Amino acid sequence: MARVILITGTRKGIGRALAEHFLTLGDVVIGCSRSAPDWTHDNYQHFELDVGDEPKVLEMFNAIRKTHGKLDCLINNAGIASMNHSLLTPLDTVKKIFSTNTFGTFLFCREAAKIMRKRKTGRIVNFATVATPLKLEGEAIYAASKAAIVSLTETLAREYADFGITVNAVGPTPIQTDLIRGVPQDKMDRLLARQAVRRFGTYDDVINVIDFYLRAESDFVTGQVIYLGGV
Amino acid sequence: MKNVNAIILEQIESFNENLDTPVDTSKGDDTILFGAGGVLDSVDFVGLILDIEQAINDEYGKHLALTGERAMSQRNSPFRTVGTLAAYIEKQLED
Ligand SMILES: NC(=O)c1ccc[n+]([C@@H]2O[C@H](COP(=O)([O-])OP(=O)(O)OC[C@H]3O[C@@H](n4cnc5c(N)ncnc54)[C@H](OP(=O)(O)O)[C@@H]3O)[C@@H](O)[C@H]2O)c1
């Protein structure tokens, strides 16, 4: 039977690349984002929602349960950033970032685990960032929201182990997507210089780590964060 | 529509199939779920509550969260017996 894989933030960027990767492998992919994607596929179903909107998210999980009766993997990719000095950051921005990155990730982990526990197996992959360990100035809130995801990953790994579910995270370096389009070149150069391997990351770098986490043989790997680029 | 007590007991029966020490439901509403005299460990307890929550939500078409702050802050835990849990759920369904 085909795997059912739920990926958040599939309209564009890394999320879209992940969806295309798993569709190519023959998996059934369910995705979501706030606006509709401009692409489709026979084995793909899209939900237009904000990952922090609990009623809508619950409705979506209900639909997944009724249609597929199972969920093999969840990839919590949806994320937003705001590059700004913390002294210039309004509280509303902070709330928005935490709502998508942290609360959204929590909500999806919780609801996915409720379905996965029935078959005593499941894989959850969350998205961290090198901005946290590198303590990047100008990304205080983004890095904090992702630090919370690292902590969640480590603790949920323990709580969900009883249900056969692994919870891990991947921490990408800068990858050229819309997310980092506004970051000035000199800042980017300095950032890349702090990596062990000094280049931009690619979609394939992220896919490689996620494929590893999703393997059946990886059932003894949980609560881990793999940062790319040697950070 | 099935009544709440029946749904809870039904969920316990099906949950029991995977337990070494099943929950004894012969006392009906007085069946102990959690606390002194209960047989469920905390992981099984979580699993059973989730099953009951799902079954109630499916039957009544609502999204009740049985473990909200309200439940956790009550002096007498609503999770003590089938009867107390049913009463607690019925109250939530009315709201
Ligand atoms: N690119 C990088 O350099 C980099 C580095 C480290 C970590 N990451 C992480 O990688 C993940 C993906 O980033 P990306 O570079 O692919 O970003 P992106 O190109 O900006 O794409 C973000 C995706 O998430 C969706 N999204 C955003 N907020 C959402 C919400 N509240 N609810 C539902 N969907 C939402 C967007 O669609 P809508 O706008 O339609 O909602 C879009 O599909 C993020 O978690 C990010 O933090 C990226």
Side-chain angles (χ1 to χ4, degrees):
Chain A
M1 213 202 312
R3 292 187 298 187
V4 177
I5 302 184
L6 171 61
I7 307 170
T8 64
T10 42
R11 181 171 66 83
K12 59 176 182 163
I14 301 169
R16 175 177 178 171
L18 284 167
E20 286 167 349
H21 169 69
F22 291 113
L23 287 166
T24 307
L25 292 182
D27 297 309
V28 170
V29 177
I30 300 157
C32 64
S33 57
R34 291 162 301 178
S35 22
D38 61 3
W39 60 275
T40 56
H41 187 287
D42 286 348
N43 289 328
Y44 178 77
Q45 184 186 9
H46 193 84
F47 289 83
E48 245 175 87
L49 55 77
D50 186 315
V51 292
D53 182 348
E54 187 175 24
K56 286 256 173 62
V57 172
L58 293 182
E59 248 173 60
M60 183 197 70
F61 274 97
N62 227 353
I64 294 174
R65 198 167 50 86
K66 292 200 167 129
T67 315
H68 301 284
K70 68 159 190 171
L71 181 62
D72 296 280
C73 316
L74 162 67
I75 302 173
N76 274 314
N77 158 84
I80 52 172
S82 129
M83 321 275 170
N84 212 342
H85 197 287
S86 64
L87 291 175
L88 304 176
T89 305
L91 188 60
D92 267 351
T93 307
V94 179
K95 287 181 181 164
K96 251 190 222 146
I97 292 177
F98 269 80
S99 169
T100 295
N101 297 1
T102 315
F103 304 160
T105 295
F106 168 72
L107 194 51
F108 273 69
C109 285
R110 190 189 71 193
E111 293 307 312
K114 285 184 188 173
I115 300 182
M116 290 170 174
R117 79 190 168 93
K118 292 283 191 186
R119 293 169 66 238
K120 285 226 164 264
T121 173
R123 296 275 181 275
I124 296 177
V125 182
N126 294 328
F127 268 67
T129 170
V130 298
T132 304
L134 291 180
K135 303 170 178 63
L136 294 183
E137 303 100 318
E139 297 190 17
I141 305 310
Y142 175 63
S145 74
K146 295 287 190 175
I149 291 177
V150 170
S151 174
L152 266 179
T153 301
E154 291 167 348
T155 309
L156 297 189
R158 291 177 166 267
E159 291 191 0
Y160 296 177
D162 292 315
F163 304 107
I165 302 165
T166 68
V167 190
N168 292 289
V170 57
T173 62
I175 296 173
Q176 284 166 309
T177 67
D178 290 346
L179 192 86
I180 60 166
R181 219 170 33 182
V183 182
Q185 188 59 45
D186 62 315
K187 205 178 163 218
M188 205 44 90
D189 291 342
R190 270 183 282 135
L191 207 169
L192 294 183
R194 293 175 67 188
Q195 297 173 191
V197 185
R198 297 186 190 88
R199 64 162 171 85
F200 277 103
T202 64
Y203 294 153
D204 284 342
D205 294 325
V206 177
I207 288 169
N208 179 45
V209 174
I210 294 181
D211 272 340
F212 165 68
Y213 285 143
L214 299 195
R215 288 171 57 178
E217 296 85 347
S218 298
D219 63 344
F220 205 43
V221 179
T222 193
Q224 304 304 305
V225 184
I226 294 182
Y227 290 107
L228 288 167
V231 170
Chain B
M1 220 173 266
K2 269 189 237 161
N3 81 31
V4 174
N5 303 56
I7 294 174
I8 297 174
L9 284 166
E10 202 176 278
Q11 290 305 315
I12 298 174
E13 296 299 348
S14 93
F15 200 79
N16 271 344
E17 287 165 24
N18 299 311
L19 292 178
D20 297 332
T21 319
V23 178
D24 175 8
T25 53
S26 61
K27 292 206 183 103
D29 279 4
D30 291 331
T31 299
I32 292 174
L33 292 176
F34 206 58
V39 297
L40 295 171
D41 65 24
S42 58
V43 173
D44 286 336
F45 175 70
V46 169
L48 176 60
I49 292 300
L50 288 174
D51 285 352
I52 294 171
E53 188 176 271
Q54 189 67 66
I56 296 284
N57 289 347
D58 284 347
E59 181 75 19
Y60 291 87
K62 286 200 175 182
H63 282 302
L64 290 192
L66 296 186
T67 46
E69 264 171 54
R70 215 167 101 188
M72 297 316 181
S73 61
Q74 289 193 15
R75 200 145 42 87
N76 297 315
S77 164
F79 301 110
R80 181 80 183 115
T81 66
V82 168
T84 59
L85 180 57
Y88 174 69
I89 292 173
E90 269 159 11
K91 189 144 189 312
Q92 275 205 43
L93 285 171
E94 281 164 21
D95 292 349

